[in-house]
């Protein structure tokens, strides 16, 4: 039960989280190019805002919109917090607001993701305490609630408030809009590494920075999510292996405890093949019961995990009926196979010694 529930919960959660991430990214990025750490996509790696200033001077770049980030204490808990220019953000990212407006993001206000709003029972107009390194704790009014997205943290400030609160300014991503007709291929003048004044040439002056088109960046995030899902499922199957060893061990103990019973059954005429068939049938019953309860427990755990941990409050379970049936079949068959050695041992019990066993 525990082994199968873990496998089902982990695989279903990973699939649901991947689907929610893909849905959140679909149509949400309108920039032409994205600059982030090339070796840490999706992580909190940052770079100097001077990079954005240099990119603005590149011929062919029409606008650069930064997302800056830092650590803050929100409602007493330390977390990541981002900052943007509300007037420019809408040109590169589609922030799906549930309530409030992006225009309301000004001094002493904050936008909150749906996940954080649900976690802290917050609504538009409520006041929360945000502590930045330089300004200390202060009340901030919630100006809006937006759908969770892997591109932004759970809290969003305007750049003016961020600049006043942090002595060391750090950028987590720069979204570039190019002039009409600019070639965005690797061989185009904007991205060609040896091009004078190109984006690639500017980034060469900084460590581990890379530029991607929107399609490549979104595809990379999806591949990363798929890889994590596959890795998680592969590791979790080891739990099933341990569970199967537990089944075999339980059956072995059962045979030892029932030595006299098996000897009496053999003495009144039960054949060795019938003894083995009886033990395999018992294991099959255990396997079916464990599989049924494991599937139910796994789906329940996956639902709770998706609701509480995914960061997407509106995310639903994404399951594969064929995958669940395949997992159940593998679990049942593996349980029966795990008892083969025990059943074979039971058929070789000496009848006279077994009857005399106390």
């Amino acid at each position: 039960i525990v082994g199968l529930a873990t496998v089902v919960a982990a695989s279903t959660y990973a699939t649901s989280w991947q689907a929610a991430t893909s849905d959140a990214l679909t149509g949400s990025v309108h920039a032409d190019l994205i600059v982030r750490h090339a070796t840490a996509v999706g992580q909190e790696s940052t770079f100097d805002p001077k990079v954005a200033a240099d990119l603005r001077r590149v011929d062919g770049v029409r606008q650069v919109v930064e997302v800056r980030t830092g650590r803050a204490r929100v409602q007493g808990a330390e977390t990541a917090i981002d900052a943007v220019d509300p007037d420019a953000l809408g040109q590169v990212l589609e922030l799906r607001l549930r309530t409030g407006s992006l225009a309301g993001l000004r001094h002493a206000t904050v936008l909150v993701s749906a996940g954080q709003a649900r976690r802290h029972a917050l609504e538009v107009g409520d006041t929360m305490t945000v502590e930045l390194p330089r300004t200390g704790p202060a009340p901030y009014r919630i100006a809006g609630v937006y759908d969770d997205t892997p591109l932004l943290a759970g809290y969003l400030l305007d750049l003016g408030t961020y600049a006043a609160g942090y002595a060391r300014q750090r950028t987590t991503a720069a979204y570039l809009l190019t002039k009409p007709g600019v070639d965005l291929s690797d061989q185009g003048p904007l991205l060609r590494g040896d091009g004078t004044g190109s984006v690639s040439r500017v980034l060469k002056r900084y460590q581990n920075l890379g530029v991607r088109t929107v399609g490549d960046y979104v595809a990379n995030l999806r591949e990363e999510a798929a890889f994590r899902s596959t890795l998680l499922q592969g590791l979790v199957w080891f739990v099933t292996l341990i569970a199967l060893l537990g089944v075999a061990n339980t059956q072995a103990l059962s045979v030892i405890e029932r030595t006299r019973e098996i000897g009496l059954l053999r003495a009144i005429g039960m054949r060795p093949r019938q003894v083995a068939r009886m033990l395999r049938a018992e294991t099959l019953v255990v396997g079916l019961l464990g599989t049924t309860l494991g599937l139910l427990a796994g789906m329940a755990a996956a639902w709770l995990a998706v609701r509480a941990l995914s960061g997407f409050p509106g995310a639903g379970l994404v399951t594969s009926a064929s995958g669940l049936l395949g997992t159940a079949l593998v679990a049942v068959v593996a349980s029966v196979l795990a008892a083969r050695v025990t059943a074979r041992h039971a058929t070789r019990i000496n009848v006279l010694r077994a009857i005399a066993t106390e």
Side-chain angles (χ1 to χ4, degrees):
I1 294 174
V2 175
L4 189 63
T6 305
V7 171
V8 172
S11 60
T12 303
Y13 171 78
T15 304
S16 302
W17 181 83
Q18 183 179 349
T21 300
S22 179
D23 181 66
L25 291 173
T26 301
S28 61
V29 183
H30 304 306
D32 297 312
L33 298 171
I34 302 175
V35 174
R36 292 184 72 107
H37 262 267
T39 56
V41 176
Q43 299 178 8
E44 292 185 1
S45 297
T46 59
F47 51 92
D48 197 305
K50 187 176 182 298
V51 176
D54 293 342
L55 291 172
R56 290 186 179 95
R57 293 193 289 267
V58 173
D59 187 29
V61 174
R62 176 163 55 91
Q63 188 173 5
V64 178
V65 179
E66 296 179 74
V67 176
R68 296 187 182 178
T69 190
R71 303 296 296 180
R73 296 189 68 85
V74 179
Q75 298 289 80
E78 186 175 350
T79 184
I81 193 166
D82 285 342
V84 297
D85 179 358
D87 298 326
L89 182 65
Q91 301 180 46
V92 295
L93 292 180
E94 182 179 339
L95 197 63
R96 301 168 185 173
L97 286 161
R98 297 190 175 188
T99 54
S101 66
L102 188 59
L105 185 60
R106 293 292 183 266
H107 177 67
T109 63
V110 60
L111 293 182
V112 182
S113 69
Q116 297 296 343
R118 178 172 173 269
R119 185 172 292 112
H120 297 290
L122 299 171
E123 297 179 352
V124 172
D126 290 348
T127 300
M128 62 189 307
T129 302
V130 179
E131 181 180 351
L132 303 181
R134 293 181 66 183
T135 56
Y140 284 71
R141 183 179 60 84
I142 298 177
V145 177
Y146 58 90
D147 281 350
D148 295 82
T149 170
L151 301 174
L152 295 171
Y155 304 97
L156 206 56
L157 302 174
D158 71 291
L159 288 179
T161 303
Y162 175 88
Y166 292 88
R168 186 168 179 259
Q169 310 285 304
R170 303 301 295 173
T171 298
T172 188
Y175 297 88
L176 279 62
L177 293 173
T178 60
K179 295 178 180 179
V182 173
D183 185 2
L184 296 179
S185 67
D186 291 340
Q187 301 303 318
L190 197 63
L191 297 181
R192 195 170 61 239
D194 58 353
T196 303
S198 69
V199 171
S200 297
R201 192 174 183 85
V202 169
L203 297 183
K204 281 184 178 179
R205 300 199 296 265
Y206 302 94
Q207 187 177 10
N208 292 334
L209 286 183
V211 59
R212 288 183 174 86
T213 62
V214 173
D216 290 341
Y217 178 72
V218 173
N220 184 270
L221 282 180
R222 289 174 176 168
E223 289 175 3
E224 182 181 338
F227 173 75
R228 290 179 178 178
S229 173
T230 303
L231 181 62
L232 178 62
Q233 293 180 45
L235 293 175
V236 165
W237 272 108
F238 282 105
V239 177
T240 305
L241 177 60
I242 296 173
L244 293 176
L245 293 177
V247 170
N249 184 60
T250 301
Q251 284 298 93
L253 291 174
S254 175
V255 169
I256 293 174
E257 293 173 351
R258 296 163 60 188
T259 299
R260 181 180 176 83
E261 174 191 339
I262 294 173
L264 290 173
L265 291 173
R266 289 289 309 281
I268 63 176
M270 180 176 278
R271 298 177 180 178
R273 182 179 300 178
Q274 291 175 315
V275 173
R277 189 181 304 164
M278 177 187 70
L279 293 174
R280 285 197 294 266
E282 291 176 358
T283 307
L284 178 62
V285 172
V286 172
L288 289 173
L289 180 61
T291 298
T292 302
L293 296 179
L295 287 175
L296 295 176
M299 294 298 293
W303 182 80
L304 292 174
V306 168
R307 297 283 294 175
L309 303 177
S310 68
F312 301 97
L317 287 182
V318 177
T319 60
S320 170
S322 59
L324 290 178
L325 290 176
T327 302
L329 181 61
V330 168
V332 172
V333 173
S335 296
V336 175
L337 292 178
R340 288 193 64 182
V341 176
T342 303
R344 185 179 303 172
H345 174 71
T347 61
R348 297 175 179 177
I349 291 178
N350 185 284
V351 177
L352 294 178
R353 289 182 180 177
I355 293 175
T357 300
E358 294 295 336

